[in-house]
Amino acid sequence: MSLTYEIKHRNMIVRLDAEIDHHKAEEIRDRLDQLIAMNSIKVLIFDFSNTVFMDSSGIGVIMGRYKKMKQMGGDVGLINVNSNIQRVLKLSGIYRLVKNYESVQDAIKRLV
Amino acid sequence: MSLTYEIKHRNMIVRLDAEIDHHKAEEIRDRLDQLIAMNSIKVLIFDFSNTVFMDSSGIGVIMGRYKKMKQMGGDVGLINVNSNIQRVLKLSGIYRLVKNYESVQDAIKRLV
Amino acid sequence: MKFENEMKIEFDSKSQNEGFARVVVAAFVAQLDPTIEELADIKTSISEAVTNAIIHGYEMYPGKVYIYCKIVDDVIYVEIEDHGKGISNIEEARQPLFTSKPNMERSGMGFTVMEAFMDNVEVESVEGCGTTVMMKKTLLSLRATKEEACNE
Amino acid sequence: MKFENEMKIEFDSKSQNEGFARVVVAAFVAQLDPTIEELADIKTSISEAVTNAIIHGYEMYPGKVYIYCKIVDDVIYVEIEDHGKGISNIEEARQPLFTSKPNMERSGMGFTVMEAFMDNVEVESVEGCGTTVMMKKTLLSLRATKEEACNE
Ligand SMILES: Nc1ncnc2c1ncn2[C@@H]1O[C@H](COP(=O)(O)OP(=O)(O)O)[C@@H](O)[C@H]1O
Ligand SMILES: Nc1ncnc2c1ncn2[C@@H]1O[C@H](COP(=O)(O)OP(=O)(O)O)[C@@H](O)[C@H]1O
């Protein structure tokens, strides 16, 4: 897994793997849930700048984190989503709940 | 085919394809023989700087051109051969006949 | 003359083979020079169908996933087959957001993705015997290039 | 626990599939994290055997080439099979520089390359029925990594 993250004031920015499929999704989910719990994260930003491939397993990961964060009064945002991945996300209707942002700053400003 | 070439005073430098296998070899051979005949080439330099893969089909291409050029009083040299391709060439004993050179200038100086 | 090529591949129902399956189909389709978007559509659809075979078809049991791929001119035809547990209600399964595994965080969007990204998707399934997903896509990029060549 | 994975692939005896075969095996072997040199060895050997199946096994006739690939821990096992014309004298065929197609500019180095780049190469052939080349290679890179991990 090549997931890297950065935490600032309970905001976590996670740079995801190059390919997100079912095989990777399980690892990503477990790692994220651990990081969220350990650091009492309030805002989770998924950074797709390294990600070239994502199938519907990725929707599951984002939705799952969204529900979790909302329950705890937190929120979720996305940055650097390429057009192919946007097409997958659009199909699912997830954009009604979770949005793309211009930058980390932009996301944090609007979500916190 | 991505073969490109440059001709100066009957010396021809041919930059070969990224992958040289039997599929590509036939095209490369035909193209080279056409270029050699059309331009009365004396020295043929194979430039492997773009080439990441070569199997024994490439040995056949080089040997075939070597024989042809020698018959016409010409010669053949190699430049920018990566280590994996060198290992293939070494096995065949072709280095007794055709050599690697440091640069185009070096090859032309020694072969003309 | 018709351009034709076909291949078959068979591999273990292990999740690490999902990425492998995508690479294989992408490499086979590469001979048609698809656009990046067309290639992404095909890879995503393959990924959905192969994942389904592994997690729904075989669940935790080991089995084989079969892919048959055929190119005829600018049309790509792909079949993904498993000999797993099968689908009892195909119509329901194809509904957006329907999933039998919400606890695994499946989104229920697999069939919807295939339908959106391929021109045609058919599903054949027999309970207890397995499932075959058949997909077709015409590469418009190739057709466009050919027409350009003709017009020149 | 043993790490195991296997796959089979079958494709038309067309020369454009030589590159495809290399990509497939390389993608399958990638799960073992081979070095660049190990990967080059395997790709080159696959290329030799697949080319032989196409040009010697089937000559100009259409046929199918079969690759079976198995990984057990750090050992890669590959079989390349054709149902072509077969080899009458295997010992002679394996000699360096021996080729039955010098006019096609074959170098006769195919088997020599496979033997140099893989740990073990076996050839089974029945005239009129076809040929199977079986190759094995242990990835030392992986063994080294494991030993390092143990020593830490
Ligand atoms: N190969 C298969 N074998 C058995 N059941 C399947 C198969 N493919 C799909 N299904 C069923 O169809 C449902 C919907 O599939 P899909 O749209 O891909 O969503 P998801 O995979 O997210 O559940 C699955 O939850 C499963 O019940
Ligand atoms: N799959 C095969 N079917 C039939 N004959 C084969 C096959 N593979 C190899 N041979 C025979 O063995 C010879 C030597 O093969 P090889 O060492 O690969 O050299 P090359 O392919 O350059 O001829 C070939 O020329 C051919 O006569």
Side-chain angles (χ1 to χ4, degrees):
Chain A
M1 188 161 58
S2 63
L3 182 152
T4 58
Y5 64 95
E6 206 181 316
I7 300 175
K8 285 186 205 153
H9 317 295
R10 300 175 68 188
N11 304 323
M12 178 163 70
I13 300 110
V14 185
R15 186 169 293 181
L16 297 165
D17 299 62
E19 309 229 321
I20 305 174
D21 58 9
H22 152 256
H23 179 61
K24 283 287 167 64
E26 300 190 345
E27 286 174 32
I28 297 173
R29 182 189 57 200
D30 294 348
R31 185 86 180 103
L32 288 181
D33 286 351
Q34 191 189 31
L35 288 167
I36 292 169
M38 271 169 48
N39 302 285
S40 319
I41 298 301
K42 272 284 179 188
V43 170
L44 171 61
I45 299 168
F46 288 98
D47 178 355
F48 285 85
S49 52
N50 279 345
T51 309
V52 289
F53 177 84
M54 189 185 90
D55 68 14
S56 74
S57 311
I59 301 173
V61 173
I62 302 172
M63 271 310 294
R65 280 348 96 222
Y66 173 78
K67 285 185 195 154
K68 193 166 191 135
M69 295 299 292
K70 277 284 168 182
Q71 266 168 18
M72 305 184 303
D75 214 335
V76 167
L78 315 176
I79 60 170
N80 298 318
V81 189
N82 83 24
S83 63
N84 288 326
I85 297 174
Q86 281 191 32
R87 290 191 296 132
V88 175
L89 290 170
K90 258 182 208 146
L91 281 177
S92 70
I94 202 174
Y95 279 133
R96 274 169 289 166
L97 306 171
V98 179
K99 304 265 177 265
N100 288 330
Y101 296 92
E102 293 290 307
S103 63
V104 173
Q105 290 71 30
D106 180 38
I108 290 176
K109 201 170 62 193
R110 308 218 193 179
L111 289 169
V112 175
Chain B
M1 189 162 54
S2 61
L3 182 152
T4 58
Y5 64 96
E6 206 182 314
I7 299 173
K8 286 187 203 152
H9 317 295
R10 299 175 68 189
N11 305 321
M12 177 162 72
I13 301 109
V14 186
R15 184 169 295 181
L16 296 166
D17 298 64
E19 309 229 323
I20 306 174
D21 59 8
H22 152 256
H23 179 61
K24 283 286 166 64
E26 300 190 345
E27 288 175 31
I28 296 172
R29 182 187 61 199
D30 294 348
R31 185 86 179 104
L32 288 181
D33 286 351
Q34 192 189 32
L35 288 167
I36 292 168
M38 272 170 48
N39 302 286
S40 320
I41 298 302
K42 273 285 179 187
V43 170
L44 172 60
I45 299 166
F46 288 98
D47 178 355
F48 285 85
S49 52
N50 279 346
T51 309
V52 290
F53 177 85
M54 189 185 89
D55 68 14
S56 74
S57 310
I59 302 174
V61 173
I62 301 172
M63 271 310 295
R65 278 349 97 224
Y66 173 78
K67 286 185 194 153
K68 194 168 189 132
M69 295 300 291
K70 277 286 167 179
Q71 265 168 20
M72 305 186 304
D75 215 335
V76 167
L78 315 176
I79 60 170
N80 299 319
V81 189
N82 83 26
S83 63
N84 288 325
I85 297 175
Q86 280 190 33
R87 290 191 296 133
V88 175
L89 290 170
K90 259 181 207 148
L91 281 177
S92 72
I94 202 173
Y95 279 133
R96 276 170 286 165
L97 306 170
V98 178
K99 305 265 179 268
N100 289 330
Y101 296 93
E102 293 288 309
S103 63
V104 173
Q105 290 71 31
D106 179 39
I108 290 176
K109 202 169 61 192
R110 307 218 194 178
L111 288 169
V112 175
Chain C
M1 210 195 71
K2 265 197 180 167
F3 174 77
E4 276 199 20
N5 203 359
E6 60 175 7
M7 66 98 179
K8 269 186 208 168
I9 185 156
E10 169 186 334
F11 52 86
D12 291 344
S13 62
K14 297 183 169 154
S15 68
Q16 77 252 39
N17 290 332
E18 292 160 8
F20 170 66
R22 291 196 296 274
V23 175
V24 171
V25 176
F28 192 69
V29 167
Q31 60 193 296
L32 292 185
D33 258 325
T35 62
I36 292 174
E37 186 169 312
E38 285 170 339
L39 200 59
D41 289 352
I42 294 166
K43 284 175 80 168
T44 312
S45 304
I46 298 298
S47 202
E48 299 296 348
V50 168
T51 301
N52 282 351
I54 294 173
I55 63 176
H56 301 303
Y58 293 113
E59 298 189 295
M60 64 239 62
Y61 303 101
K64 297 282 180 194
V65 181
Y66 305 83
I67 302 183
Y68 168 70
C69 195
K70 182 172 185 151
I71 292 174
V72 181
D73 288 331
D74 53 358
V75 181
I76 291 157
Y77 177 81
V78 193
E79 258 177 52
I80 289 104
E81 185 181 325
D82 67 66
H83 300 165
K85 76 170 204 267
I87 304 176
S88 55
N89 185 340
I90 297 178
E91 214 186 314
E92 178 190 54
R94 294 181 72 152
Q95 296 293 319
L97 304 174
F98 173 83
T99 180
S100 54
K101 298 221 185 307
N103 57 325
M104 275 182 69
E105 295 201 341
R106 300 303 301 166
S107 63
M109 292 303 295
F111 279 125
T112 311
V113 166
M114 297 181 237
E115 283 164 14
F117 290 175
M118 301 294 277
D119 296 341
N120 190 44
V121 178
E122 281 171 50
V123 183
E124 268 176 27
S125 193
V126 178
E127 266 191 280
C129 285
T131 302
T132 305
V133 176
M134 292 152 281
M135 307 192 273
K136 229 165 87 170
K137 189 176 181 79
T138 301
L139 292 197
L140 299 173
S141 55
L142 200 76
R143 199 157 279 185
T145 321
K146 267 194 196 155
E147 273 163 18
E148 247 171 57
C150 290
N151 292 341
E152 259 167 24
Chain D
M1 209 196 71
K2 264 197 181 167
F3 174 77
E4 276 198 19
N5 203 357
E6 61 175 5
M7 67 100 178
K8 267 187 208 168
I9 184 154
E10 168 187 336
F11 52 86
D12 292 344
S13 62
K14 296 183 171 157
S15 68
Q16 77 252 37
N17 290 334
E18 293 160 7
F20 170 65
R22 290 195 297 275
V23 175
V24 171
V25 176
F28 192 68
V29 168
Q31 59 193 295
L32 293 185
D33 258 325
T35 62
I36 293 175
E37 188 170 308
E38 285 170 338
L39 199 60
D41 289 350
I42 294 166
K43 284 175 81 167
T44 312
S45 303
I46 298 297
S47 201
E48 300 295 349
V50 168
T51 301
N52 282 350
I54 294 173
I55 63 176
H56 301 303
Y58 293 113
E59 298 190 294
M60 63 239 64
Y61 303 101
K64 296 284 180 195
V65 181
Y66 305 82
I67 301 182
Y68 168 70
C69 196
K70 181 171 187 152
I71 291 175
V72 182
D73 289 330
D74 53 358
V75 181
I76 290 157
Y77 176 82
V78 193
E79 259 178 50
I80 289 105
E81 183 181 328
D82 68 65
H83 300 163
K85 76 169 203 272
I87 304 176
S88 54
N89 185 339
I90 295 177
E91 214 186 313
E92 178 188 53
R94 293 180 73 150
Q95 296 292 320
L97 303 174
F98 174 83
T99 179
S100 55
K101 297 220 184 312
N103 56 325
M104 272 182 72
E105 293 199 344
R106 299 305 299 166
S107 62
M109 292 303 295
F111 279 124
T112 310
V113 165
M114 295 181 237
E115 284 164 14
F117 290 175
M118 301 294 278
D119 297 340
N120 190 45
V121 178
E122 281 171 50
V123 183
E124 269 176 27
S125 191
V126 178
E127 267 191 282
C129 286
T131 301
T132 306
V133 175
M134 290 151 283
M135 307 191 274
K136 229 164 90 170
K137 190 177 181 78
T138 301
L139 292 198
L140 300 173
S141 56
L142 200 75
R143 201 158 279 186
T145 320
K146 268 193 196 153
E147 275 162 17
E148 247 171 59
C150 290
N151 293 341
E152 259 168 25

